[in-house]
Amino acid sequence: MKKIWISGAGIVLTVVIALFVYAKVQIQKSAREKTASALRSAGDAISKARLRHAFVYAPELFKEGEKLYNSAMQKWKDENSRWYFSRDFDNAIQLANNAEKKANYALKKAGEYRNKIQKDLEKLLEELSRKVKDFEAFYSVIPLPTEVRSNFAKGRLLFSESKRIGEKGEFRLALKKAKDAELLISPAYHFGKDKLYTYFNSFLKWEKLNNDAFRLSHSGRVIMVDKIARRCYIYKNGKVAQTFIAELGENWVGTKNKQGDKSTPEGKYYITKKLKGSQTIYYKALLINYPNDEDKERFSKNKVSGAIPQSAKIGNLIEIHGGGGRGTDWTEGCVALTDNDMDKIFPLVEVGTPVFIVGSLVPLEKLKTRDTLKSRNDE
C-alpha cells in the first residue's frame, strides 16, 4: 500500500512539474510574441518616419526614436541569450513602445514642420515669381549696371532650381534655394524699380512738353521722341501723322548731363541742320540744338554741386540719324532710325522744325496695367 502511495505521489508531482513547466513555457512564448510585436510596431514607425523625412524635419526626435529602438533590439538579443526560464522581456517591450511613441511624435512634428516649410516656400516662390515677372517686363528694359543684371540672372537660375526641387517634395532644400535666390533677385528688383519710378518723377514735365508739341503741330510738323516707347512720331494738326521705331543712347534713362555719358537728352529742341551724303556718316541726319539754354544751366549747376567733374564737357552733335534697326540702344546719345525711315522723315521736316524728346508719353501707372513696357516691334 505504501508503494502505491509513493507511486501515486510521484505521478502527481510529475504532473505538477509538467504543468508548471508548460505554464512557464507559455508565459515565455507569450512574452516573446508580445516583444516581437512591439519591436515590429516600433520598426514600422521608425521606417514610416524615415520615409517622410523625419530625420530632416524633426532630427532630434527621430534620433531619440532610433536610439530607443536600437536599445530595445539589443535588450531582445540579450534576453534571448539567457537561460530560457530566466528571460525577462518587459524592459525590451517598454523600450520598443517608447521608440514607437517617439517615432510617431517625430512623424507628427515632421509633418507639421514640413507643411510649414511648404507654405513658406510657396509664399516665397509666389513673391519671387512676381518680382521676376516685373523685373523682366519693366526693369530689365532700362539701363542697369552689369552687376545688377548678373545678380538677377544668378537669382533667376536659383529660383528655377527651387521650383524644380520643390516639385519633388524636397521642401527644405527648395526653401534654402529660394532664400538664396531672394538675396539676389530682390536687390536687383528694387534697384530697377527705384530707378524707373524715380525717372517717372519727371512725367508732369514730359506731359507739358507733349501738350506744347501738339499745340505747335497746328502750325507745322513737329517731331516727338518717346524714349520708353522707343518711338519717333511726326505730329501734324494735333495728331500723330507718322510713327517710326527709334533706338537711343546706351544710358538713355534721364537727360544728358555731359559728354560721353551716352544719354539721350530730354527737352525742347529744333533742327539746326539737315545732313546727307558726305556730310554725315549715318546716311542722313537731322542735327538738333543740344545743348540748349536749359541744358547749359543744368550743366553749370551740376559742376558747382559736384554732381559731375569739373573737367567734364557738355557735349554736342546730337542728331536724329540713320543706321538704326539694330534692335538695341547703341548710340552715344543720338536718336537712330533706319535708313528707310530717314528717307521718309527727311523731306517732311526742315531747319527750325521743333524736336521734343521725353521719357514717356504714358504715365507709369498706365504702363503698369500692361504686361510689359512697349516693345520696339509693337505698333
Side-chain angles (χ1 to χ4, degrees), residues 312-327:
K313 296 180 180 179
I314 194 168
N316 55 9
L317 300 178
I318 298 298
E319 303 171 334
I320 299 173
H321 60 61
R326 304 184 188 186

Side-chain angles (χ1 to χ4, degrees), residues 178-242:
K179 287 181 177 179
D180 290 342
E182 183 183 29
L183 293 176
L184 295 168
I185 291 173
S186 288
Y189 166 85
H190 288 294
F191 187 96
K193 181 179 181 181
D194 290 346
K195 187 168 185 177
L196 186 63
Y197 275 74
T198 299
Y199 186 41
F200 269 82
N201 287 338
S202 300
F203 182 75
L204 291 179
K205 178 182 177 181
W206 302 336
E207 189 174 41
K208 182 180 181 303
L209 287 171
N210 191 42
N211 290 336
D212 292 345
F214 271 124
R215 186 169 54 253
L216 282 174
S217 72
H218 289 284
S219 302
R221 291 185 178 86
V222 173
I223 295 176
M224 168 60 73
V225 176
D226 181 337
K227 292 166 75 174
I228 285 284
R230 307 302 204 289
R231 292 294 182 272
C232 176
Y233 301 105
I234 300 295
Y235 288 175
K236 178 65 175 173
N237 296 324
K239 297 179 181 179
V240 176
Q242 286 183 274

Side-chain angles (χ1 to χ4, degrees), residues 243-262:
T243 304
F244 308 102
I245 295 174
E247 294 162 357
L248 310 171
E250 291 181 27
N251 188 32
W252 56 267
V253 170
T255 193
K256 190 170 186 64
N257 290 310
K258 63 183 179 69
Q259 186 180 66
D261 61 9
K262 298 185 178 181

Side-chain angles (χ1 to χ4, degrees), residues 295-305 308 314:
D295 296 323
K296 293 173 183 176
E297 181 181 357
R298 183 178 61 257
F299 179 76
S300 297
K301 288 181 178 179
N302 284 342
K303 271 198 171 183
V304 171
S305 69
I308 58 176
I314 194 168

Side-chain angles (χ1 to χ4, degrees), residues 274-293:
K274 294 176 66 176
L275 308 172
K276 61 181 180 178
S278 61
Q279 296 174 312
T280 175
I281 61 172
Y282 290 115
Y283 179 60
K284 290 180 179 178
L286 303 171
L287 183 66
I288 66 174
N289 65 317
Y290 173 86
N292 60 21
D293 292 340

